[in-house]
Amino acid sequence: MILRKKTRKFHIGTVGIGGDSQITVQSMTNTDTQNVDETVDQIHRLEAAGCDIVRVAVLDADAATAIRAIQDRIKIPLIADIHFDYRLAIKAMEYGADGIRINPGNLGGEEKTALVVEAAKQHNVPIRVGVNSGSIEKDLLKQYGYPTPDNSSALIESALRNVRLVEKYGHDKIKISIKSADVLTTINSYRQLAKKTDYPLHLGVTEAGGLIAGTVKSSVALGILLSQGIGDTFRISLTRDPVEEVRVGFELLRSLKIRQRGPELISCPTCGRTRIDLFGLAEEVEKFVQTMESPLKIAVMGCVVNGPGEAKQADIGVAGGNGIGIIFKKGEIWKKVKEDELMDIFMAELKLMELESLRDK
Amino acid sequence: MILRKKTRKFHIGTVGIGGDSQITVQSMTNTDTQNVDETVDQIHRLEAAGCDIVRVAVLDADAATAIRAIQDRIKIPLIADIHFDYRLAIKAMEYGADGIRINPGNLGGEEKTALVVEAAKQHNVPIRVGVNSGSIEKDLLKQYGYPTPDNSSALIESALRNVRLVEKYGHDKIKISIKSADVLTTINSYRQLAKKTDYPLHLGVTEAGGLIAGTVKSSVALGILLSQGIGDTFRISLTRDPVEEVRVGFELLRSLKIRQRGPELISCPTCGRTRIDLFGLAEEVEKFVQTMESPLKIAVMGCVVNGPGEAKQADIGVAGGNGIGIIFKKGEIWKKVKEDELMDIFMAELKLMELESLRDK
């Protein structure tokens, strides 16, 4: 359906980025990176949620040296996020970081950036050049003004200038991000950037807000970009448990049929027609669904108006009303049961289908 | 920024739909419509959240007659949602419904639909023709097959057929919805429909799922459509308290700069650099922000890396770290305070700015 823009390809650890690689979901820990146990625990939870690549903040030398101990205990590639101190970037790579994220503009000048790029080449470590509205160089702000929704020139020029700096010292495993807290600026910046470069693009909306505001802003911006074939990897930024970032990320990919992970749950909004405890049933099913691996399509419907029609698309669906529950499979009524037995029978059948689906693998 | 597709204009109660009217946010009660007190209470909560138009399910004659009592106690227009029984549609209009939503395909034939349309003309009540994947006529399914992401012809033809039926009996205050649980089908259906009609379009993704899945699917589908100028009114369907639907709706409109309601909160995702209780502060601010009316831009940042740069855009912003808190106003440091005083001083100043902003009105 979606024609993806062709970009260069390289690997971060074992995970492909750009080209024909699948679009990857990233997240970032919010633990103190020096605290190896806590950081590893959080990364294990991120791995379980499907996170492809994790980033950790490297604030000091102890955080940089902790990377080796963390990596020994995790499966996914690790990216070190560095600001201001070029020595931390070099140390992070010495201690095994699979990638680094820097903003060359704040590393203290070209000479220091050159040392970082030299080390990255030596360790074969890709670099993300990440600029945001807050890091644009003064001369560019003077020339272009602060980025607005219809003028993203300063952001793009800042990113490209820093990319050229990395290229100048002979490294070309580069991905680029240009993040803004503004959805329209984000969309316009990446659209223009995609025309000017074939390096892989890392998408994101920065400071997106809480769970709901952040999910809406990221879904709109990244949904529009991904639907136009732009973007090779992304992080959904939420002021929340990073596991939620990964969950939202996969919902986004699923909604555009780009990547599927686990089952899909559809449930109707309740209305005055609802004749069943839909919230309770949907919550119970949603909880179980998060432990499932098979890509079943599951419907939980509150009434007979939309229930049967929509449940046609579902591998298994349930609709209720007036004391009677109906369980559907692929559009056919599989069982009519009393409403007070409905949840037990439905959940038992769901578990059976999951087991059968896994056995068939 | 966004060039909106020109549609016809009419009013539902006092609220304009289509043409140059603002894009409206709808929701639907999930109470028993016969229970006037509960229904009115929920509608009052929806009104407080900014809901423009509310829909109630009309399942029987008692629900239809309850409409008058409900309307006497609410401010926003009320739409009656009717399936199967054409007499309920007529009764709902007799009892004062400002609009009706029907699916002519399930009213029991052309003669009965004609009676509903006749009554709608007489009461000057607009009709939403709402079809969904589950309600497509058998002959259209046979001709076009079940709608897939790249073949929405059956949905569109079903909608247009039913619109022509309403037109045939002399009514033209029509809005159209074609809902699917599939994001790509939704996008393609409305895109094609927008080329074939100039009636206002009511957007939505049906059976979108729980809070997160539903918010992502609706944001992607409606975000893409609205950014292309398609859509005059919408409902975000969530299996949740309908107040959440309205909240997500306004976040969506805000993200595309289409409509703004109340302040905007930006907050950074936490990371290992976070040196402040950001979740606590963000939650406290978020709670207060929901009671605010002024369109202030408020930033809550966890560290000095992105904080100062991003807070430039904010009317008031806070960043913390290592025992010290900084409060910004329009890019300038307004106050440096001890971290344990930060929340109190920030919230007090926020309240003051809100009061000043309201006084200036």
Side-chain angles (χ1 to χ4, degrees):
Chain A
M1 293 291 307
I2 296 169
L3 190 65
R4 187 163 158 207
K5 189 181 172 294
K6 185 91 186 147
T7 52
R8 305 187 194 193
K9 181 173 176 172
F10 54 79
H11 284 78
I12 296 179
T14 54
V15 173
I17 296 284
D20 61 356
S21 317
Q22 65 183 355
I23 294 172
T24 41
V25 176
Q26 304 199 23
S27 187
M28 185 170 186
T29 55
N30 59 15
T31 55
D32 184 343
T33 306
Q34 288 183 40
N35 188 328
V36 173
D37 285 341
E38 264 188 33
T39 303
V40 167
D41 281 354
Q42 193 172 66
I43 295 174
H44 285 166
R45 291 174 53 237
L46 289 168
E47 287 176 342
C51 183
D52 296 304
I53 296 167
V54 68
R55 183 157 50 108
V56 303
V58 174
L59 293 174
D60 50 36
D62 287 342
T65 54
I67 287 175
R68 170 105 344 117
I70 294 167
Q71 274 192 323
D72 283 348
R73 292 162 58 188
I74 65 171
K75 294 193 194 85
I76 55 177
L78 181 148
I79 292 173
D81 190 272
I82 290 116
H83 286 268
F84 308 132
D85 188 344
Y86 76 101
R87 291 165 303 185
L88 295 177
I90 293 168
K91 196 179 270 280
M93 290 185 274
E94 285 168 1
Y95 281 81
D98 299 298
I100 57 168
R101 182 259 165 143
I102 55 170
N103 183 340
N106 72 21
L107 284 182
E110 182 167 338
E111 277 174 38
K112 289 166 181 172
T113 301
L115 293 171
V116 173
V117 176
E118 205 54 59
K121 271 197 309 185
Q122 185 192 322
H123 293 287
N124 193 28
V125 164
I127 295 177
R128 164 149 72 101
V129 171
V131 304
N132 60 43
S133 336
S135 74
I136 300 169
E137 293 86 344
K138 282 190 185 124
D139 64 311
L140 294 176
L141 282 179
K142 203 170 168 188
Q143 187 181 345
Y144 296 107
Y146 200 85
T148 56
D150 50 358
N151 178 10
S152 309
S153 308
L155 271 168
I156 294 161
E157 189 47 41
S158 173
L160 292 177
R161 173 189 289 188
N162 286 308
V163 165
R164 286 190 294 265
L165 191 58
V166 176
E167 286 173 332
K168 181 175 167 186
Y169 293 97
H171 200 38
D172 65 355
K173 293 188 174 173
I174 301 171
K175 61 188 169 105
I176 313 175
S177 67
I178 36 173
K179 293 193 184 178
S180 161
D182 184 274
V183 167
L184 294 175
T185 307
T186 303
I187 295 167
N188 289 337
S189 302
Y190 277 103
R191 261 191 202 151
Q192 291 175 54
L193 187 64
K195 287 184 198 149
K196 296 189 177 188
T197 183
D198 64 352
Y199 286 118
L201 300 184
H202 171 113
L203 306 182
V205 178
T206 193
E207 289 85 32
L211 184 63
I212 293 300
T215 299
V216 171
K217 285 167 86 167
S218 295
S219 299
V220 171
L222 275 56
I224 288 174
L225 288 166
L226 291 169
S227 76
Q228 295 173 355
I230 295 169
D232 299 283
T233 185
F234 65 80
R235 174 192 179 199
I236 306 285
S237 296
L238 299 173
T239 311
R240 283 280 166 151
D241 181 344
V243 170
E244 295 288 340
E245 300 184 342
V246 176
R247 199 178 151 204
V248 171
F250 277 101
E251 290 292 349
L252 176 59
L253 290 176
R254 184 209 300 280
S255 76
L256 291 168
K257 300 206 191 309
I258 291 172
R259 239 179 111 180
Q260 169 117 349
R261 184 187 150 78
E264 177 173 9
L265 179 61
I266 57 176
S267 61
C268 66
T270 57
C271 68
R273 283 193 300 274
T274 304
R275 289 285 171 270
I276 191 172
D277 173 21
L278 196 68
F279 286 1
L281 185 58
E283 258 176 46
E284 180 123 340
V285 175
E286 200 168 2
K287 214 183 293 169
F288 181 66
V289 156
Q290 285 177 23
T291 69
M292 289 173 68
E293 286 180 39
S294 57
L296 291 170
K297 195 162 184 173
I298 304 162
V300 180
M301 316 298 284
C303 76
V304 294
V305 175
N306 292 312
E310 291 295 335
K312 267 184 210 165
Q313 304 161 282
D315 296 301
I316 181 165
V318 63
N322 295 327
I324 296 292
I326 298 168
I327 300 174
F328 295 89
K329 283 192 179 184
K330 306 241 179 213
E332 302 290 322
I333 292 180
W334 176 69
K335 245 176 203 167
K336 267 192 193 178
V337 299
K338 288 187 198 150
E339 202 175 306
D340 57 5
E341 300 172 332
L342 182 61
M343 195 179 294
D344 285 348
I345 295 176
F346 183 68
M347 294 299 292
E349 186 59 21
L350 205 53
K351 283 173 196 175
L352 204 63
M353 286 174 75
E354 164 80 354
L355 289 172
E356 278 169 4
S357 157
L358 295 181
R359 200 189 49 198
D360 292 348
K361 264 189 179 173
Chain B
M1 293 289 306
I2 295 169
L3 189 65
R4 187 163 157 207
K5 191 184 169 294
K6 185 89 184 148
T7 52
R8 305 187 195 192
K9 180 174 176 173
F10 54 79
H11 284 78
I12 295 178
T14 54
V15 173
I17 296 285
D20 61 356
S21 318
Q22 64 183 354
I23 294 172
T24 41
V25 176
Q26 303 200 23
S27 187
M28 186 169 184
T29 55
N30 59 16
T31 55
D32 184 342
T33 306
Q34 288 184 39
N35 189 328
V36 173
D37 285 343
E38 266 189 30
T39 303
V40 166
D41 280 355
Q42 194 172 65
I43 295 174
H44 285 166
R45 291 174 54 238
L46 289 167
E47 285 176 342
C51 183
D52 296 303
I53 297 169
V54 69
R55 183 158 48 110
V56 303
V58 174
L59 293 173
D60 50 35
D62 287 343
T65 54
I67 287 175
R68 169 102 348 116
I70 294 167
Q71 274 191 323
D72 283 348
R73 293 163 57 189
I74 65 173
K75 294 194 194 82
I76 56 177
L78 181 148
I79 292 174
D81 190 272
I82 289 116
H83 287 269
F84 308 133
D85 190 343
Y86 76 102
R87 291 166 303 184
L88 296 177
I90 294 169
K91 197 180 270 281
M93 290 185 274
E94 284 168 3
Y95 281 82
D98 298 298
I100 57 169
R101 182 260 165 142
I102 56 171
N103 184 339
N106 72 22
L107 283 183
E110 182 168 337
E111 278 172 40
K112 290 167 180 170
T113 302
L115 292 170
V116 172
V117 175
E118 204 55 57
K121 271 198 308 185
Q122 186 192 322
H123 293 287
N124 193 27
V125 164
I127 294 177
R128 164 150 71 103
V129 170
V131 304
N132 60 44
S133 337
S135 75
I136 299 169
E137 292 87 343
K138 282 190 183 122
D139 64 310
L140 294 175
L141 282 178
K142 205 171 166 187
Q143 187 182 345
Y144 296 108
Y146 200 85
T148 56
D150 50 359
N151 177 11
S152 310
S153 306
L155 270 169
I156 293 160
E157 189 46 41
S158 174
L160 292 177
R161 174 189 289 188
N162 287 307
V163 165
R164 285 190 295 266
L165 191 58
V166 176
E167 286 173 334
K168 182 175 166 186
Y169 294 98
H171 200 37
D172 66 354
K173 292 188 174 173
I174 301 171
K175 61 190 169 101
I176 312 175
S177 68
I178 36 174
K179 294 192 183 177
S180 161
D182 185 274
V183 167
L184 295 175
T185 306
T186 302
I187 296 166
N188 289 338
S189 302
Y190 278 102
R191 260 190 204 151
Q192 291 176 53
L193 188 64
K195 287 184 198 149
K196 295 189 178 188
T197 183
D198 64 354
Y199 286 117
L201 300 183
H202 171 114
L203 306 182
V205 178
T206 193
E207 289 85 33
L211 185 63
I212 292 303
T215 298
V216 171
K217 285 168 86 170
S218 295
S219 299
V220 171
L222 274 55
I224 288 174
L225 288 168
L226 290 169
S227 77
Q228 294 174 357
I230 296 169
D232 299 282
T233 185
F234 64 80
R235 173 192 178 197
I236 306 286
S237 297
L238 299 173
T239 310
R240 282 280 167 151
D241 183 343
V243 169
E244 296 287 339
E245 300 184 342
V246 176
R247 199 175 153 204
V248 171
F250 278 100
E251 291 293 350
L252 176 59
L253 291 177
R254 184 209 301 279
S255 75
L256 291 168
K257 300 207 194 303
I258 292 172
R259 238 180 113 181
Q260 169 119 346
R261 185 188 148 78
E264 178 173 10
L265 178 63
I266 58 177
S267 61
C268 68
T270 56
C271 68
R273 282 192 301 273
T274 304
R275 287 287 171 267
I276 190 173
D277 173 20
L278 196 68
F279 286 179
L281 185 57
E283 256 175 50
E284 180 124 343
V285 175
E286 200 169 1
K287 215 182 293 169
F288 181 64
V289 156
Q290 284 176 26
T291 69
M292 289 173 69
E293 286 180 39
S294 58
L296 291 169
K297 197 162 182 174
I298 305 162
V300 180
M301 316 298 286
C303 75
V304 294
V305 175
N306 292 311
E310 292 296 334
K312 266 184 211 166
Q313 304 160 282
D315 297 300
I316 179 164
V318 63
N322 295 327
I324 295 290
I326 299 168
I327 300 174
F328 295 88
K329 283 192 181 186
K330 305 241 179 213
E332 301 291 323
I333 293 181
W334 175 71
K335 246 178 198 161
K336 269 191 191 178
V337 298
K338 287 187 196 150
E339 201 174 307
D340 56 7
E341 299 172 331
L342 181 61
M343 197 179 295
D344 285 345
I345 295 176
F346 183 66
M347 294 298 292
E349 185 59 19
L350 206 53
K351 283 174 198 176
L352 204 63
M353 287 175 75
E354 163 79 352
L355 289 173
E356 278 169 5
S357 157
L358 295 182
R359 201 188 46 198
D360 292 347
K361 264 190 181 175

